[in-house]
Amino acid sequence: MSVCAWPECECLYSRDHIETMHYPLVINTCLSALGMLVTLKVIPGFGEVFMKAGFKGRDLNKVVQKEIPESAGMISGAMFLIIMFLFIPFPFLEYWVSVKPQTSHEFPHADFVEFLGALLSISCMIFLGFVDDALALKWRHKLWLPTIASLPLLMVYFTTFDLTTIIVPKPFRPILGLSIDLGLLYYVYMGMLAVFCTNAINILAGINGVETGQSLIIGLSITIFNLLELSGDFSEDHIFSLYFMIPFCAVSFALLYYNWYPSQVFVGDTFCYFAGMTFAVVGILSHFSKTMLLFFIPQILNFLYSCPQLFRLVPCPRHRLPRFDAKTGKLGMSYSRFKTSELNSIGALILQVCRIFHIADVRSGVGEDKQYTECNNLTLINFVLKVLGPTHERTLTIYLLTIQVLGSMAAFFIRYQLAKIFYDV
């Protein structure tokens, strides 16, 4: 009798466990909605405080270049942390208040440490992002910030999971086998993932609403992916991701309200780092880092297009904002000018390829003495302007966010259709 009843008891336990896991999601959503409303209320009130402290900047893409508060991403980041701190007990309530009195479970200390480790990495990244806004660090120093902030995440992964084995894509299995243990290289990959996510958002920036807008679309895309996977074998991993994504989307929406054209606040590097580290945390700890990267298709394209300037193969100015034309009120491509003789052979080859394939506007023999070369700054924003021509700032932001949405649609197609070619899904 007990043997026959066991499957039924197991089924009841599983159903109760799943229902119990959904209660924290409801609470998380309610806290996020409240946090969004508070953020909407708080941002205008702190504007004057930030400006008095020197956190302000001129909106260069306007006829009247007035000063507005900067680093408002600190407010949304702080509200995110408040939501998550208040939420900490709820995912683990079932281990103190059981749905069935006769049921007892061992407290999941590993899950608890994982949750706190994720929050610690995000907290460190928000703090270091604010330090960057305050000190205006150089790019070679910026790369170290996410590396430092990812240390708690990597240490938690080492002490709780320490799984460094990857599944080999089907075409390579006859050569490499079903799986490979990367060992230390897997931790290098995770650290580089954190660096990429934070800086990829930071380099696709410069016009009203684009940093917050792209981050919100990525966050919503990850949320939809998590919801689609709730009925799968790894539902707990996706519930963990939702615990972070729902509050993130809520505070990002509130920030976008004030950062949309015409922007009332600048988000600063703080928000870019906060957003990137949040994505890295859920991608790593919820074990879908490859899928998460698919939602970064526009950022990956922007990074690849920017590589010649980022790695100094082609001269790169500190700011690569599009150029504002006060007469038309539209944005056009911005250019970098440099002496042709200062360009090395690799840089010259890259510019030649760009000229042949019309992926950049390269002008040689510029200047009175014909010794200079001009090239549009290699960003996705400038490339869109090259294709479409001068565009109003708000329209340009809409185009870029449309590209982000199309990128997410492509990501879902790859994940649920093309992935079958490479993996057993």
Side-chain angles (χ1 to χ4, degrees):
M1 175 114 176
S2 61
V3 175
C4 294
W6 170 249
E8 181 180 353
C9 293
E10 185 179 29
C11 181
L12 286 173
Y13 163 73
S14 178
R15 183 165 58 248
D16 290 336
H17 184 58
I18 291 173
E19 289 175 356
T20 305
M21 287 194 299
H22 288 177
Y23 294 140
L25 280 178
V26 175
I27 296 169
N28 182 280
T29 303
C30 293
L31 287 173
S32 300
L34 180 61
M36 180 182 68
L37 295 176
V38 173
T39 306
L40 285 168
K41 182 70 175 177
V42 166
I43 288 178
F46 271 84
E48 191 65 28
V49 175
F50 274 61
M51 293 186 71
K52 286 182 179 179
F55 291 96
K56 57 186 177 181
R58 293 187 180 277
D59 197 342
L60 301 178
N61 295 329
K62 305 290 186 299
V63 176
V64 180
Q65 298 178 359
K66 64 177 183 179
E67 290 185 333
I68 60 177
E70 201 166 6
S71 303
M74 184 66 184
I75 299 173
S76 60
M79 184 55 60
F80 171 86
L81 292 178
I82 292 172
I83 294 170
M84 296 304 294
F85 292 158
L86 292 174
F87 179 68
I88 286 175
F90 293 103
F92 307 98
L93 276 183
E94 66 170 308
Y95 299 96
W96 291 293
V97 184
S98 181
V99 176
K100 288 183 176 293
Q102 69 272 23
T103 306
S104 62
H105 316 305
E106 183 180 350
F107 186 82
H109 292 93
D111 294 343
F112 188 60
V113 170
E114 175 185 328
F115 192 92
L116 295 182
L119 283 180
L120 182 56
S121 279
I122 295 172
S123 300
C124 289
M125 195 71 266
I126 293 172
F127 168 72
L128 292 174
F130 195 65
V131 169
D132 184 17
D133 281 336
L135 302 180
L137 299 176
K138 296 181 179 180
W139 272 104
R140 63 176 177 269
H141 300 140
K142 290 176 185 283
L143 293 177
W144 288 102
L145 299 184
T147 304
I148 295 170
S150 67
L151 288 177
L153 174 65
L154 299 180
M155 294 304 101
V156 166
Y157 189 90
F158 175 75
T159 56
T160 55
F161 295 109
D162 196 27
L163 298 175
T164 57
T165 301
I166 63 169
I167 304 299
V168 176
K170 290 180 182 179
F172 301 102
R173 289 179 187 175
I175 303 173
L176 302 175
L178 180 63
S179 62
I180 298 177
D181 187 358
L182 295 179
L184 183 62
L185 289 177
Y186 194 78
Y187 288 90
V188 174
Y189 159 73
M190 290 189 291
M192 293 179 66
L193 180 67
V195 173
F196 172 77
C197 289
T198 51
N199 286 286
I201 294 173
N202 202 17
I203 63 175
L204 183 53
I207 59 175
N208 291 174
V210 73
E211 300 102 317
T212 323
Q214 65 181 301
S215 300
L216 180 58
I217 292 170
I218 294 172
L220 290 173
S221 300
I222 294 175
T223 301
I224 293 170
F225 171 67
N226 294 148
L227 292 173
L228 291 173
E229 293 294 317
L230 284 184
S231 58
D233 296 332
F234 304 99
S235 59
E236 291 192 15
D237 290 334
H238 292 281
I239 287 174
F240 176 86
S241 176
L242 286 171
Y243 290 160
F244 288 81
M245 283 295 99
I246 295 174
F248 173 80
C249 291
V251 299
S252 296
F253 178 81
L255 183 60
L256 180 61
Y257 180 81
Y258 293 105
N259 186 232
W260 190 254
Y261 181 93
S263 181
Q264 301 175 50
V265 296
F266 291 139
V267 300
D269 290 341
T270 305
F271 178 79
C272 299
Y273 289 138
F274 157 51
M277 183 56 70
T278 304
F279 298 145
V281 160
V282 298
I284 291 171
L285 294 181
S286 295
H287 310 289
F288 60 87
S289 59
K290 294 191 296 293
T291 301
M292 191 271 296
L293 279 175
L294 289 176
F295 296 121
F296 276 74
I297 290 176
Q299 285 72 26
I300 293 172
L301 293 175
N302 181 61
F303 171 73
L304 294 175
Y305 188 54
S306 299
C307 275
Q309 285 190 317
L310 295 179
F311 294 103
R312 304 296 176 178
L313 299 174
V314 174
C316 178
R318 178 172 175 78
H319 297 291
R320 301 186 295 168
L321 301 174
R323 184 178 56 195
F324 177 68
D325 187 343
K327 294 180 179 179
T328 62
K330 294 182 177 181
L331 299 178
M333 289 188 294
S334 61
Y335 288 82
S336 174
R337 175 182 283 200
F338 46 88
K339 278 192 173 183
T340 306
S341 58
E342 296 176 353
L343 196 63
N344 59 41
S345 57
I346 298 177
L349 177 62
I350 290 172
L351 292 185
Q352 183 65 21
V353 172
C354 290
R355 182 187 286 112
I356 293 172
F357 290 97
H358 303 286
I359 57 177
D361 185 14
V362 182
R363 305 169 183 173
S364 301
V366 177
E368 293 181 1
D369 51 7
K370 309 296 183 181
Q371 295 183 4
Y372 288 86
T373 296
E374 278 187 347
C375 174
N376 67 271
N377 287 310
L378 303 176
T379 66
L380 182 61
I381 295 176
N382 276 308
F383 182 78
V384 171
L385 289 170
K386 182 181 186 304
V387 174
L388 300 178
T391 307
H392 188 272
E393 184 176 5
R394 178 171 49 204
T395 306
L396 181 58
T397 301
I398 293 172
Y399 286 148
L400 290 168
L401 297 187
T402 301
I403 292 173
Q404 191 71 53
V405 171
L406 293 175
S408 290
M409 293 172 64
F412 280 112
F413 176 76
I414 294 170
R415 172 61 180 80
Y416 288 105
Q417 299 299 325
L418 296 186
K420 298 175 184 178
I421 301 174
F422 299 97
Y423 295 99
D424 299 316
V425 294

